[in-house]
Amino acid sequence: MLLPAISILLLLAGSVASAAVPYAKLRQVAERVSCQCGCSYTVGSCNMLNCHFRDPILQKISTGLEEGTPEDEVLEAVYEEYGGETRVEPRNEGFGRIGWIAPFASLAFGLAVVIWVMRRWRARTTARSRASEVPDDVMERYRAQIEEDLEELE
Amino acid sequence: MENLGYLAVLLAFLLSVYATVAALGGKLRRNPFLEVSAQRAVLAAWLMTTTASAILLHAILTDNFSFNYVASRSNADLDLLYKVAAWWGGQEGSLLFWSWIAATYSFVAVYTGRSRHRNMISYVVVTMAGTQAFFLGLVAFEANPFQVIMSGPQVTSVPDGSGLNPLLQHPMMAIHPPMLYLGYVGFTVPFAFALASLITRQPGERWIHTTRVWTMVTWLFQSIGILLGARWAYVVLGWGGYWGWDPVENASLLPWITGTAFLHSVMMQEKKGMMKVWNIVLISATFFLCIFGTMMTRGGLVSSVHAFAQSEIGIYFVWFLAGGIGITAYMIISRKEYLRSEAELDSVISRESGFLFNNVVLLASCFAVLWGTLFPVITEYATGDKITVGAPFFNKVNVPIGLFLLFLTGVGPLVAWRRTSTESLRRNFQWPALAAAVCAAALFAGGMRHFYALVCFSLCAFVATTVLMEYYRGGRVIQRKQASSLAAAVVELTRRNTRRYGGYLVHMAIVLMFIGFAGAAFNVVHQEEMAVGDSIAVGPFDFKLQNVSEMDNPNYFRAVAAVDVSKNGKFLETLMPERRFYHASNQPTSRVDVRHRLLEDVYVVYAGQSNDGANPVIQVYLNPLVNWIWIGALVLVLGTLVALVPSKTGRRRIGRASAPQLKEEPVAASGD
């Protein structure tokens, strides 16, 4: 049942970043690649033991950066080799662009609807208050009183 | 025992089905005996679910490894606390746990509400028992936790179980899932009351009060569950963060967002009779998002680190959702007249419009999270190429939306109901705006250049000033009238309107959390292979590996690194991160050690071993301000509890209003 300590320690051995590329840089780039080992993190954050997916990608990124290849090109090569699933964000083109636009479009649409609803409500209220025969100054006085009362109630 | 357990599940399922049918039949055929019988069936179903749960728990605690579930989720040397946690550690057990919570909620809701909401309680039973029957059906026919290990025709057992997932062996994991389940399942209650009131065209506001209180209770559980999950991720997973935008994390956030929107917009219905359709839609959406979240966790719709229990049950959830949404939509459309607004907006600059904007932004945030979570499925369907989206996407999309929401949190209390004059607006805004400007200027002068962090801290100053002003102004009035201290006056103020001032406490909690979130912009991480005696410098701190010790127990082997932390040459403390290897499951995990301070956490991880196995790899994170998130969490719980306490004035008002409302209820029965 009990394994010798040294063999367990070897089992616990994890990957270590290449010494030629600073770890912080490697991690920063690897944060833009989604790990597919099942951890649901990025390659930069995956802490799975001897991860079969993370380690070769880290190596590839490290080699690419060591050779002086620009960061984006290194990443494109990774996406090309390991598939679209490794992207952590949609590409800003084609269907991917919809991915970026949709959340903000929904917010804009929602705000537009609210403004439209408010204007409609406001128009009805204005029409009703025009039809009323109560003079504006009297109405203002009542409104001020109501506001004060509401403040009290709250 | 296994037969008894399964029989209890079957009976609970049949009783829930009976309760659903009897309550509906009793209401439609005006047969009070059937209605009462349905209510008793709810109690009986709870007793049966409790019996089944007790049998499973007994099997886990007594190491009965003839149960397939026990053998795969527990082991003999597991601590007692984690043996209990094994109940919800797997698909079958967690569905039974879910059913038990649902049965408990049904029992409590029905027996506390049957005299107060006599003419609609049967419809509450229909929704609650129907939902419960759905989950019990899954337990009975698709995910039976009472299956035994067979060897030919004989029941057999294994010498030891394969153990609970090591990541779940943490005290927080014993609380986080039950809290989340209490939240998820609990949203059935306000939904059931809302739907019942819609069906019976309830007059008055009493059902809104009941719905709101239940929503607040379940919202509190959901909040605690989410925050405990974040805390667990922070101290267990060892990646230095607390929120990874994992699909299952997102699934828990979605109903929380819509529930938050409901808690705001329901005020418009209570005060002005507005937004009735919207409120019904919101509470229904919250319920259906809970079901949807469960489907995501268990149905294999998306891949996730949490999807511990994927199976083929997803299709049943799809049918349940389709049926439920269809019925609710029909009810809303057919009761359009009943939901007509009683008032309209007087002015664009009013608290009403503030709530409208707040709701839109909350919903946009909900949509953004849902969209990102489902984007892989959508892209695969639309283009054939699956694109996963991770934290960078969610952060880019949600940070601006979140900041806008934070701004609205501050604006809301500054504008009055109905309309606000320009003069009052200027008067109310001047101090918060000044606080925000001073904060931004001071941080900029101090060298901060991170745009979002600057905006976030400034908005935090804005909202905090707003909340403090509210307390100060109200407290001063009482102080003058009662000649008491300001502190005593503020307490009195809060007691007079617990809901309002509890709500402000929750707003303050959100501010504290945003301070913590903004701190993440300045996180520092460093990883290094260290031999004993080696030192590394990270930020102003020095870390020296003093020694590595090894220990073994029947559950796991562990290697512990003793790392001395010092700052500017002054020793602070020794942190002891560990790496564990669990024997039963053959899985390694990291146990981080953290030095918690208000300004920053020093977070040290025993990340692994060098390739030759000679030296540990130590990972150091400096996480500024992260503790404000947990402080904010405590304030949020406090604020919600305060809001749940009846106000002094509220009690008087309810007392005055209760007599005529009691007379209203029988009239409503004719509207069935």
Side-chain angles (χ1 to χ4, degrees), chain A residues 142-154:
Chain A
Y142 280 129
R143 283 206 171 114
Q145 182 64 46
I146 289 167
E147 244 180 65
E148 269 178 38
D149 290 349
L150 280 173
E151 282 293 315
E152 280 285 310
L153 275 174
E154 281 173 4

Side-chain angles (χ1 to χ4, degrees), chain B residues 284-305:
Chain B
S284 307
T286 304
F287 170 72
F288 290 119
L289 283 170
C290 286
I291 302 292
F292 178 75
T294 316
M295 182 178 86
M296 285 219 295
T297 325
R298 291 149 205 291
L301 182 64
V302 287
S303 58
S304 154
V305 69

Side-chain angles (χ1 to χ4, degrees), chain B residues 94-174:
Chain B
S94 69
L95 280 174
L96 179 62
F97 183 57
W98 182 289
S99 305
W100 180 72
I101 294 177
T104 309
Y105 268 125
S106 301
F107 169 54
V108 173
V110 169
Y111 280 84
T112 56
R114 62 181 174 168
S115 48
R116 196 174 157 84
H117 302 284
R118 206 168 29 240
N119 72 319
M120 68 175 196
I121 199 70
S122 289
Y123 287 118
V124 173
V125 171
V126 172
T127 307
M128 298 216 57
T131 309
Q132 191 178 310
F134 170 71
F135 280 95
L136 281 164
L138 290 178
V139 178
F141 307 115
E142 288 294 330
N144 175 15
F146 297 103
Q147 274 180 348
V148 286
I149 302 170
M150 301 293 288
S151 172
Q154 294 293 314
V155 173
T156 184
S157 72
V158 290
D160 199 0
S162 46
L164 186 67
N165 183 340
L167 290 174
L168 303 181
Q169 295 186 37
H170 189 277
M172 231 160 279
M173 262 299 121

Side-chain angles (χ1 to χ4, degrees), chain B residues 8 47 59 64 102 140 174 178 193 203 220 254 361 379 383 392 436 540 564 617 649:
Chain B
L47 285 172
N64 186 342
F193 273 100
L220 176 63
L254 296 171
V361 180
T379 49
T383 66
D564 282 355
V617 177
T649 48

Side-chain angles (χ1 to χ4, degrees), chain B residues 75 146 259 341 475 656:
Chain B
N75 63 296
F146 297 103
S341 191
R656 280 202 301 271

Side-chain angles (χ1 to χ4, degrees), chain A residues 56-71:
Chain A
I57 292 183
L58 277 179
Q59 193 56 52
K60 192 175 174 71
I61 294 173
S62 179
T63 310
L65 293 177
E66 268 179 62
E67 287 167 356
T69 314
E71 194 179 306

Side-chain angles (χ1 to χ4, degrees), chain A residues 1-3 5 8-17 23 27 31 34 36 38-41 45 47 49 84-90 95-96 98-100 102-104 106-107 110-111 114-115 118 121-122 124-125 128 140 143 146-147 150-151 153-154, chain B residues 237-239 246 271 274 305 344-346 348 353 356-357 360-361 364 367-368 371 375 378-379 382-383 386 388-390 392-393 396-397 400 417-419 497 500 525 527 550 552 554 557 559 579 581 583 588 606 608-613 617 619 621 653:
Chain A
M1 177 77 160
L2 300 180
L3 296 170
I8 293 179
L9 279 174
L10 279 169
L11 197 64
L12 295 179
S15 67
V16 182
Y23 176 72
R27 187 184 160 113
E31 283 295 325
S34 171
Q36 301 296 310
C39 68
S40 95
Y41 298 124
S45 295
N47 59 2
L49 176 77
E85 285 178 53
T86 54
R87 289 180 185 277
V88 292
E89 50 189 38
F95 196 82
I98 297 173
W100 284 109
F104 297 107
S106 76
L107 177 63
L111 291 174
V114 166
I115 291 166
M118 286 199 305
W121 279 348
R122 181 88 189 98
R124 275 195 224 162
T125 314
R128 261 205 301 273
E140 270 311 308
R143 283 206 171 114
I146 289 167
E147 244 180 65
L150 280 173
E151 282 293 315
L153 275 174
E154 281 173 4
Chain B
L237 295 183
W239 58 283
D246 176 86
K271 281 191 186 287
M274 296 167 80
V305 69
E344 277 162 2
L345 199 69
D346 287 294
V348 176
S353 58
L356 280 175
F357 281 114
V360 166
V361 180
F367 175 77
W371 175 253
F375 199 67
I378 296 167
T379 49
T383 66
K386 192 174 177 181
T388 1
V389 293
F393 172 83
K396 280 181 192 166
V397 168
W417 288 99
R418 301 195 69 220
R419 66 171 60 205
N497 196 339
R500 179 177 179 174
V525 58
Q527 177 175 289
E550 291 152 15
D552 206 349
F557 163 84
R579 192 85 178 155
F581 183 83
H583 299 305
Y606 192 144
Q609 209 71 17
S610 59
N611 289 336
D612 59 3
V617 177
Q619 202 161 23
Y621 294 83
R653 246 181 271 159

Side-chain angles (χ1 to χ4, degrees), chain A residues 69-123:
Chain A
T69 314
E71 194 179 306
D72 285 344
E73 281 180 31
V74 172
L75 286 170
E76 279 305 324
V78 171
Y79 300 144
E80 186 69 31
E81 188 176 337
Y82 292 91
E85 285 178 53
T86 54
R87 289 180 185 277
V88 292
E89 50 189 38
R91 225 196 284 239
N92 193 13
E93 60 182 48
F95 196 82
R97 188 167 287 166
I98 297 173
W100 284 109
I101 293 171
F104 297 107
S106 76
L107 177 63
F109 175 73
L111 291 174
V113 168
V114 166
I115 291 166
W116 176 73
V117 167
M118 286 199 305
R119 286 177 69 144
R120 222 171 123 224
W121 279 348
R122 181 88 189 98

